[in-house]
C-alpha cells in the first residue's frame, strides 16, 4: 500500500491539527476547464466519460495538475445509481439529466430492483482503483453518492425539477410508497459506497442537493433518516485508516445539530450560513467543509482573496476545517479565478 504524501484533508476530517487548511472544490473536474471540455468531446458524451475508467481517471487528475488541491474526487455522477436500476440515464445538451423511465406508481416502486453494484456499477469501481493507482499517494481520493431523497427527485420527476411536485405529492399522499423507494435507495447507496471504499475511496461524501427543499419534519422523515441508515451501514475503517463520511445537505443550515448526530464525521455547508455560527452549534462533534459562495469566483481575484480571509476568520483558530465552495464550481468561471481562490487558501489557511 503506497503511503499518503498529503493527508491534511483526512487529518482535518478527523479534527486533528494541520499545517494549513486543506482545500478541494465540488465539481473541480468540470466544464470550466478547457482540458475537461476537450476530454468530453473526445469521449463523445458525459456518460461515455463516466463509464470509461481511463477517461474518468484522466479528468479526475486535470484539476490536480493545475492547482495545489488536497483531495481528488472520483469523476462520476450521482445518477449512475438510477441508471443501474434500469431507468436509462441520458443527458440532453443544455438541459441536464433525463431518464427514459420514471418511477411514480406503487407498482413501479415495487418492481424496482436493487442492483448488484459490483456488476452494474463495475465501471465506477474500476475508475476508483485506476485513479488510486494514478494518484500514487499524492492526495486522498473521495468517493461519493447522492442521498436517497436527492436520487428519488430525479427518478420520480424524470430529470431536474424546480418544485419536485410529483415526489412531494407522493410523500404527503402515499408516504409508504415513498418510504419503500427511499429504503431501496438507501440499501443501494450503502452497498455502492462500501464498494467504492473497498476499491480505494479514502473518504466518502453524500450529496443531498435537494434535502433543503423539505419542511423540517419531512427532512427528518424522508431525507435525514435514510442518510443516518447509510452512515450506520458504512465501512468506517479500511487500509488501516478511518474512512470519514461527509454529509452535505444544500440549504440544510437549519438542521446542522441533527445532521451532526447521525454519526458522520463532517458536514458540508452551503454559503447561506456563517461558518463560525455553524462551528459554535456543532461544537467538537464534526468537522466542517465549506463554504464560499461559488458566485464569488465571478468577482476579481482581490475580492476572492478577501472572501477567503473572511471565511477563515469566521471559522477561527480551531481544528476541523476543510475549505470548499458551498456548491459546485460553475462552467462560466475563469480557471484563473479558481487558481486565485485555491492559492489564497494555501496562503492564508
Ligand atoms: O465534483 C466532481 O468534480 C466530481 C464529479 C461530479 C459530477 N456530478 C460531474 C458532473 C459530482 C460529485 C456530481 C454530483 C451530482 N450530479 C449532483 C450532486 C451535487 C450537486 O452539484 O448538487 C447532482 C445533483 C448531479 C446530477 C447532475 N449531473 C446534473 C443536475 C447535471 C447537469 C447539470 C449541469 O451542471 O449541467 C449533471 C452533469 C454533470 N455531472 C456534469 C459534470 C462535470 C456536467 C456534464 C457535462 O460535461 O456536460
Amino acid at each position: 500500500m503506497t503511503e499518503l504524501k498529503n493527508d491534511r484533508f483526512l487529518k482535518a476530517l478527523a479534527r486533528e491539527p494541520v499545517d494549513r487548511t486543506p482545500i478541494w472544490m465540488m465539481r473541480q473536474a468540470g466544464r470550466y476547464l478547457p482540458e475537461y471540455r476537450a476530454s468530453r468531446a473526445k469521449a463523445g458524451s458525459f456518460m461515455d466519460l463516466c463509464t470509461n475508467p481511463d477517461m474518468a481517471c484522466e479528468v479526475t487528475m486535470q484539476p490536480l495538475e493545475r492547482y495545489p488541491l488536497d483531495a481528488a474526487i472520483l469523476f462520476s455522477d450521482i445518477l449512475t445509481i438510477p441508471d443501474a436500476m434500469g431507468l436509462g440515464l441520458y443527458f440532453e445538451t443544455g438541459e441536464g439529466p433525463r431518464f427514459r423511465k420514471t418511477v411514480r406508481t406503487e407498482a413501479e416502486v415495487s418492481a424496482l430492483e436493487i442492483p448488484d453494484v459490483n456488476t452494474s456499477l463495475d465501471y465506477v469501481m474500476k475508475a476508483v482503483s485506476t485513479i488510486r493507482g494514478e494518484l500514487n499517494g499524492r492526495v486522498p481520493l473521495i468517493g461519493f453518492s447522492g442521498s436517497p431523497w436527492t436520487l428519488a427527485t430525479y427518478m420520480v420527476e424524470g430529470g431536474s425539477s424546480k418544485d419536485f411536485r410529483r415526489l412531494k405529492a407522493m410523500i404527503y399522499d402515499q408516504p409508504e410508497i415513498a418510504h419503500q423507494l427511499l429504503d431501496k435507495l438507501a440499501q443501494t447507496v450503502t452497498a455502492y459506497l462500501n464498494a467504492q471504499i473497498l476499491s480505494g475511496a479514502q473518504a466518502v461524501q453524500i450529496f443531498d442537493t435537494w434535502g433543503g427543499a423539505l419542511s423540517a419534519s419531512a427532512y427528518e422523515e424522508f431525507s435525514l433518516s435514510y442518510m443516518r441508515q447509510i452512515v450506520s451501514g458504512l465501512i468506517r475503517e479500511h487500509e488501516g485508516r478511518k474512512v470519514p463520511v461527509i454529509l452535505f445537505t444544500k440549504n440544510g443550515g437549519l438542521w446542522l445539530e441533527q445532521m451532526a448526530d447521525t454519526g458522520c464525521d463532517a458536514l458540508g455547508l452551503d454559503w447561506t450560513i456563517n461558518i463560525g455560527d455553524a462551528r459554535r452549534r456543532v461544537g467538537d462533534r464534526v468537522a466542517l467543509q465549506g463554504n464560499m459562495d461559488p458566485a464569488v469566483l465571478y468577482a476579481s481575484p482581490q475580492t476572492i482573496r478577501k472572501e477567503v480571509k473572511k471565511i477563515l476568520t469566521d471559522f477561527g483558530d480551531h481544528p476541523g476545517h476543510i475549505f470548499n465552495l458551498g456548491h459546485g464550481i460553475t462552467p462560466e468561471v475563469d480557471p484563473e479565478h479558481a487558481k486565485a481562490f485555491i492559492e489564497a487558501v494555501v496562503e492564508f489557511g
Side-chain angles (χ1 to χ4, degrees):
M1 197 50 56
T2 46
E3 201 160 331
L4 255 182
K5 293 163 194 115
N6 171 352
D7 66 352
R8 59 171 79 83
F9 169 68
L10 295 178
K11 280 202 167 128
L13 284 171
R15 302 179 45 267
E16 286 167 17
V18 282
D19 57 344
R20 68 159 172 83
T21 309
I23 174 162
W24 68 280
M25 295 188 296
M26 289 192 268
R27 288 275 172 98
Q28 63 191 20
R31 285 164 294 177
Y32 74 105
L33 291 177
E35 57 271 35
Y36 170 82
R37 298 195 296 268
S39 299
R40 189 181 182 280
K42 190 172 75 179
S45 72
F46 173 70
M47 279 313 281
D48 289 329
L49 264 187
C50 292
T51 54
N52 179 328
D54 292 321
M55 293 295 295
C57 177
E58 178 181 306
V59 294
T60 298
M61 299 303 292
Q62 287 170 349
L64 299 168
E65 301 305 337
R66 270 189 187 247
Y67 311 122
L69 293 159
D70 297 301
I73 179 162
L74 161 70
F75 187 84
S76 188
D77 198 82
I78 62 166
L79 301 177
T80 52
I81 283 185
D83 188 53
M85 287 176 143
L87 269 59
L89 172 65
Y90 65 101
F91 283 82
E92 208 75 274
T93 13
E95 280 191 49
R98 287 284 175 81
F99 287 107
R100 290 183 215 284
K101 275 174 57 182
T102 53
V103 185
R104 292 178 184 164
T105 63
E106 181 161 21
E108 285 162 349
V109 171
S110 315
L112 204 61
E113 289 199 28
I114 295 175
D116 175 355
V117 296
N118 287 310
T119 54
S120 56
L121 292 163
D122 172 55
Y123 64 89
V124 176
M125 308 317 149
K126 286 204 176 108
V128 170
S129 52
T130 305
I131 297 163
R132 271 298 296 277
E134 185 67 28
L135 282 170
N136 194 27
R138 188 159 144 190
V139 291
L141 175 62
I142 307 166
F144 70 91
S145 171
S147 71
W149 169 260
T150 293
L151 294 175
T153 66
Y154 290 95
M155 295 169 75
V156 173
E157 306 297 334
S160 300
S161 167
K162 285 195 176 70
D163 51 11
F164 315 109
R165 65 190 168 87
R166 294 183 186 86
L167 180 57
K168 283 203 170 178
M170 190 197 283
I171 65 171
Y172 291 114
D173 269 340
Q174 302 170 292
E176 57 304 323
I177 301 177
H179 279 302
Q180 196 189 347
L181 171 60
L182 292 164
D183 183 66
K184 285 185 177 184
L185 285 167
Q187 290 182 50
T188 310
V189 168
T190 307
Y192 184 53
L193 289 176
N194 280 338
Q196 289 183 32
I197 291 165
L198 294 176
S199 303
Q202 290 149 299
V204 293
Q205 175 157 323
I206 302 175
F207 286 90
D208 186 28
T209 307
W210 304 121
L214 288 165
S215 72
S217 65
Y219 174 69
E220 165 56 38
E221 181 176 350
F222 297 99
S223 185
L224 190 63
S225 64
Y226 291 97
M227 293 199 282
R228 193 181 292 121
Q229 181 182 323
I230 293 163
V231 170
S232 63
L234 289 180
I235 296 167
R236 302 302 284 276
E237 208 177 304
H238 188 59
E239 303 176 37
R241 266 194 184 265
K242 273 196 73 177
V243 182
V245 187
I246 307 162
L247 290 192
F248 171 67
T249 292
K250 187 160 165 270
N251 271 307
L254 290 170
W255 310 311
L256 299 182
E257 293 85 350
Q258 293 92 312
M259 291 171 74
D261 282 341
T262 56
C264 67
D265 299 277
L267 302 183
L269 303 178
D270 69 25
W271 62 92
T272 60
I273 178 168
N274 177 290
I275 197 167
D277 292 338
R279 192 190 57 73
R280 283 181 284 277
R281 283 169 54 195
V282 300
D284 56 10
R285 281 180 287 171
V286 287
L288 294 175
Q289 177 176 280
N291 68 336
M292 195 175 83
D293 180 354
V296 171
L297 296 181
Y298 298 136
S300 67
Q302 298 102 284
T303 305
I304 293 168
R305 288 164 66 83
K306 250 189 265 164
E307 292 293 321
V308 164
K309 274 193 197 161
K310 209 181 328 174
I311 289 169
L312 289 168
T313 308
D314 285 341
F315 187 84
D317 191 14
H318 308 272
H321 182 205
I322 299 97
F323 218 109
N324 205 314
L325 300 171
H327 197 203
I329 186 169
T330 49
E332 300 79 13
V333 168
D334 179 342
E336 285 305 309
H337 289 214
K339 183 165 185 254
F341 165 56
I342 295 157
E343 288 182 350
V345 176
V346 170
E347 185 179 338
F348 306 127

